[in-house]
Every structure is written in C-alpha cells, then in structure tokens.
Amino acid sequence: MRVSLFPLFLLLLPLLEIAGFVIVGREVGALATVGLVMLSTIVGSLLLRHQGFGVMARVRAEMDAGRDPSRQLAHGAMIVLAAILLIIPGFITDIFAILLLLPPVRDLAWRLLKSRIVMATSFRSGFSARGRDKVIDLDDSDYSRDDYKRGPDHNSPWRRLKDD
C-alpha cells in the first residue's frame, strides 16, 4: 500500500504560511508584509492573464510547424500553476511559483513528468486541410424539418458527397 504525503502537505501548508508571515513580518514589518502579499497577488493575476494568450499562440505555432505541442502545453500549464501559486497568499507558495517560472526548472519538471502523462488524442502533422474541399454550405431553403417526412432526396448534396 502506497501512502501519499500530499494530504499531509496540504494540512501543513497553511501552518507553514502563517509561520512565514510571522518571520517576514518580524523582519520587515506588518505593513510591508501585507504589501508584499498584495504585490504577489497582482503579479500573479497579470501573469495569468498575459500567459494564457501566449501559451495558446506558442501551441498554435508548434502545431502549424508540424511538431508535437505537448512540451509547450506543459510549460504553459506550469506557468499558469505558478501564477495561481502567486495569487494564493503566502511566501512558501510564492517561492514555488518563482521556481516554476524558471525555464530550466520547467524543463526538468517536464522531463520527470512526461513519462507519466498519457495523451488522449492522436497527433498528426498539425492542422490539415482534409475535408475542406467537401464542405457543403446549405441555405435556409435547402433544408427544412419537412424533408424528414418525405424521405431521402436523391439530388441532395449530401448524396453527392457520399458518391465521390
């Protein structure tokens, strides 16, 4: 039976964060401590907003180039996790967030985790143009609910598509 330390860590994290507040507050003062916590929350929010769009652009560029976008997706997920950790009040979560923002740390984490991640999709060489020449554009006059009652229309563009 494998015992996970994650639930224990979740129980201890708030206590460790409170201890961090006390230690930092003793060194720099209460007002500066609150300011640091608010600053990290603002930075995390801005990072979350900015990186969301950047990750999608990098994933799209990888797919357009015909490469596997999983590394970019993983890096994007780690950056989003770092932003969320910055939003959570506390200095220990901020330290983990800053570590996740460093590209060498993200590369190391990706190398350690990629063997445990299963892709639930097949990756082909990016977006393909398959099926674009077989698009059927119907107007309102081409389709109505009454068509079901009459039976199949042998002149339908759908029939022509199957015969090609």
Side-chain angles (χ1 to χ4, degrees), residues 47 75 78-79 81-83 85-86 91-110:
L47 182 68
H75 277 253
M78 286 184 259
I79 290 172
L81 178 63
L85 288 174
L86 281 172
F91 295 111
I92 295 172
T93 54
D94 289 351
I95 291 169
F96 284 125
I98 291 168
L99 287 174
L100 276 176
L101 290 174
L102 300 173
V105 174
R106 288 196 312 264
D107 282 332
L108 175 67
W110 174 238

Side-chain angles (χ1 to χ4, degrees), residues 59-118:
V59 167
R60 173 61 68 113
E62 288 291 313
M63 291 182 78
D64 287 344
R67 294 187 296 260
D68 182 11
S70 60
R71 180 180 177 273
Q72 293 299 327
L73 281 169
H75 277 253
M78 286 184 259
I79 290 172
V80 167
L81 178 63
I84 291 170
L85 288 174
L86 281 172
I87 292 171
I88 296 171
F91 295 111
I92 295 172
T93 54
D94 289 351
I95 291 169
F96 284 125
I98 291 168
L99 287 174
L100 276 176
L101 290 174
L102 300 173
V105 174
R106 288 196 312 264
D107 282 332
L108 175 67
W110 174 238
R111 279 195 301 269
L112 294 173
L113 293 175
K114 73 179 175 181
S115 64
R116 295 180 175 201
I117 296 174
V118 176

Side-chain angles (χ1 to χ4, degrees), residues 137-148:
D137 191 17
L138 297 175
D139 294 331
D140 290 338
S141 62
D142 295 332
Y143 172 80
S144 71
R145 296 270 179 210
D146 295 332
D147 290 341
Y148 286 121

